[in-house]
Amino acid sequence: MKKIFIQWVCLALAPAICPAQSDSAAPASVTAIRAGKFIDVQTGHTLANQIILVRGAKIEAVGSNLTIPDGASIIDLSKMTVLPGLVDCHTHLADLHGAEPLVSLRLTAAETAYAAIPNASVTLLAGFTTVRDVGVYRAFNDVAMRDAIAKGIFIGPRMYVAGAYVTISEGAGAMTGLAKDIELPLDLRYGIANSPWEVRRVVRELAHLGADHIKILTTGAVLTHGSNAKSIEFTPEEIEAAVKEAANFGLRVEAHAHDADGIKNAIRAGVASVEHATLIDDEGIALAKQHGTYLDMDIYDEECIQSDPATPADFLAHDAGLGEAQRRNFTKAVRAGVKMSFGTDAGVCPHGINGRQFAFMVKYGMTPMQAIQAATVNAADLIGHSELFGSITPGKSADIIAVNGDPIADIRELEHVRFVMKEGKIYKREQ
Ligand SMILES: [Zn+2]
């Protein structure tokens, strides 16, 4: 009775905020989606009039001449463009939006966790069915959010989480700017490590306690008090310790880095991706190509850092000139053929406007198809789960979105996603 009531409320009043229903005893339902245009991110072509068969949570078949099984429910997207669920490789869903980290000190861990729930729902409803979430100030709030979404407690993207920031003392991922006599609770300083063996200890603990990947910070940061984006943090030995220890547990490492030498230290040590990559130089670009390292460049969020009246003055001073340099270097990296993924640093900008970065990626040198591939096939490859998501292919999770127009003609269509399906369940359907 209670379940029926909840379903009625969800259908009648607020489908967007209700968890997906599941009944493991029922046979998997079959849905046929008619796609007017279909973006094949694996070949880089747009196809017309495709049918996608979804059975339960998985894609069963894709083609133009498929027989629709009797009893299948039909979703008519024949006037829309259909593409895979988008992936943002750099989010901070389990923290509050805004540049000021010290806000965390005014809230309990539980208050932070509840306040962050809408971050997950707005991200999913914007068309992002998967995120790689790359750090949280309250250690393991991200692990708890990932698991709550997976259990259907509230809605959000599939999350791959870091557990905490692995950072040097008073480094880019630390809670800095406090009075000297304040001692933080453990969950606000969990990932601090100095020396290769301390890095290994933290990585071991994070791996055991639920991290899907490891986030390290190899240079200073813009949005950290007392930091300098051009300073080197973590030595090559410490970065290598993180990469090797993570690999022992089957995990990959992403490195926050602005400064050119900090970027090269990270690439040489074998990280999977460099985040921001702001001041990457020609040698760094060549190294990234040689090592197959992804660059995950958040070239939109400069708009938010500069326009948000709440951005602290010291952060604006750190940021001077960096946004422009990053966009210039993004163009160079795209032209050089470096592997690129889509990552926005969501949380700096409000959650749910992740799609605005696509237009900037096109403005600064990508084709619309390359920008979409960065957020689908490339992102899945970087996260290490191409078997599960990143394209609309038989056997993969039914993570499918649609927009009204053609994003290859106007990439800004991706700022207005009208249809969202994740794991075969519909979360959004607008005309
Ligand atoms: Zn970030």
Side-chain angles (χ1 to χ4, degrees):
M1 183 63 196
K2 193 175 169 192
K3 186 172 178 186
I4 290 169
F5 175 74
I6 291 170
Q7 281 179 326
W8 181 85
V9 170
C10 289
L11 287 169
L13 298 177
I17 59 166
C18 293
Q21 302 295 314
S22 66
D23 184 348
S24 55
S29 59
V30 179
T31 301
I33 299 173
R34 291 187 185 279
K37 284 184 177 163
F38 174 92
I39 297 186
D40 183 341
V41 293
Q42 289 181 307
T43 63
H45 292 111
T46 302
L47 308 174
N49 300 322
Q50 299 291 297
I51 295 168
I52 305 160
L53 287 185
V54 174
R55 185 179 294 271
K58 298 272 185 194
I59 296 159
E60 186 167 83
V62 184
S64 55
N65 276 321
L66 295 181
T67 306
I68 297 176
D70 290 342
S73 51
I74 296 182
I75 298 171
D76 184 7
L77 304 179
S78 57
K79 293 190 169 56
M80 303 178 87
T81 303
V82 174
L83 61 160
L86 302 169
V87 183
D88 191 330
C89 294
H90 191 128
T91 65
H92 299 281
L93 296 188
D95 268 326
L96 301 183
H97 151 64
E100 177 53 87
L102 296 176
V103 168
S104 302
L105 299 178
R106 306 183 75 167
L107 300 171
T108 66
E111 285 169 337
T112 304
Y114 287 124
I117 289 173
N119 300 345
S121 56
V122 297
T123 302
L124 176 64
L125 297 176
F128 288 80
T129 50
T130 303
V131 300
R132 187 183 63 161
D133 203 74
V134 293
V136 61
Y137 282 110
R138 288 270 184 194
F140 306 113
N141 268 16
D142 54 352
V143 172
M145 180 180 258
R146 173 197 69 193
D147 294 347
I149 292 168
K151 288 175 187 162
I153 295 171
F154 54 86
I155 71 166
R158 176 187 300 107
M159 288 179 77
Y160 292 93
V161 302
Y165 296 111
V166 183
T167 181
I168 65 168
S169 290
E170 303 298 325
M175 183 69 64
T176 60
L178 306 171
K180 294 176 185 64
D181 55 355
I182 289 180
E183 189 171 346
L184 290 169
L186 180 61
D187 64 347
L188 284 168
R189 55 180 168 82
Y190 197 92
I192 290 175
N194 299 282
S195 86
W197 285 107
E198 277 198 39
V199 168
R200 285 183 184 262
R201 176 185 61 78
V202 169
V203 170
R204 288 167 183 166
E205 290 179 6
L206 291 172
H208 179 72
L209 294 172
D212 299 303
H213 49 85
I214 299 296
K215 167 71 175 292
I216 62 172
L217 296 97
T218 71
T219 74
V222 172
L223 306 179
T224 304
H225 295 295
S227 195
N228 175 358
K230 292 174 185 164
S231 66
I232 300 289
E233 302 189 352
F234 281 138
T235 63
E237 295 82 0
E238 288 168 321
I239 306 169
E240 195 176 300
V243 170
K244 289 196 168 161
E245 197 60 43
N248 288 342
F249 297 97
L251 306 185
R252 299 176 182 192
V253 175
E254 63 272 3
H256 155 111
H258 293 294
D259 172 76
D261 287 327
I263 291 167
K264 286 183 278 196
N265 286 345
I267 295 171
R268 288 194 182 101
V271 302
S273 66
V274 176
E275 308 302 302
H276 315 297
T278 310
L279 299 173
I280 191 166
D281 59 14
D282 290 347
E283 188 187 17
I285 286 173
L287 275 173
K289 261 195 100 167
Q290 183 192 332
H291 287 255
T293 314
Y294 275 96
L295 300 185
D296 199 40
M297 298 178 75
D298 51 337
I299 61 169
Y300 175 72
D301 62 8
E302 178 72 4
E303 305 298 305
C304 301
I305 293 170
Q306 290 294 332
S307 66
D308 185 347
T311 304
D314 54 335
F315 294 178
L316 286 173
H318 297 166
D319 191 50
L322 290 186
E324 200 187 323
Q326 188 194 31
R327 290 168 179 177
R328 213 169 36 239
N329 289 332
F330 175 88
T331 304
K332 282 170 114 175
V334 169
R335 286 196 186 136
V338 178
K339 294 203 280 189
M340 307 295 282
S341 51
F342 180 98
T344 63
D345 211 354
V348 175
C349 288
H351 294 280
I353 62 166
N354 319 52
R356 291 191 194 173
Q357 184 168 281
F358 285 107
F360 280 68
M361 294 169 93
V362 171
K363 180 178 176 186
Y364 288 97
M366 281 186 171
T367 65
M369 185 63 82
Q370 282 177 315
I372 292 169
Q373 287 169 325
T376 53
V377 271
N378 293 11
D381 180 45
L382 169 57
I383 295 171
H385 286 291
S386 295
E387 83 294 348
L388 186 60
F389 57 87
S391 64
I392 299 175
T393 307
K396 292 193 186 182
S397 179
D399 300 346
I400 297 167
I401 66 166
V403 295
N404 273 346
D406 178 1
I408 300 300
D410 178 6
I411 194 70
R412 295 195 64 180
E413 286 291 340
L414 294 177
E415 297 172 19
H416 307 287
V417 171
R418 309 285 180 178
F419 174 86
V420 178
M421 172 184 278
K422 177 189 147 205
E423 295 169 355
K425 298 186 179 68
I426 298 169
Y427 290 88
K428 183 178 190 181
R429 191 169 182 186
E430 294 174 358
Q431 292 306 308

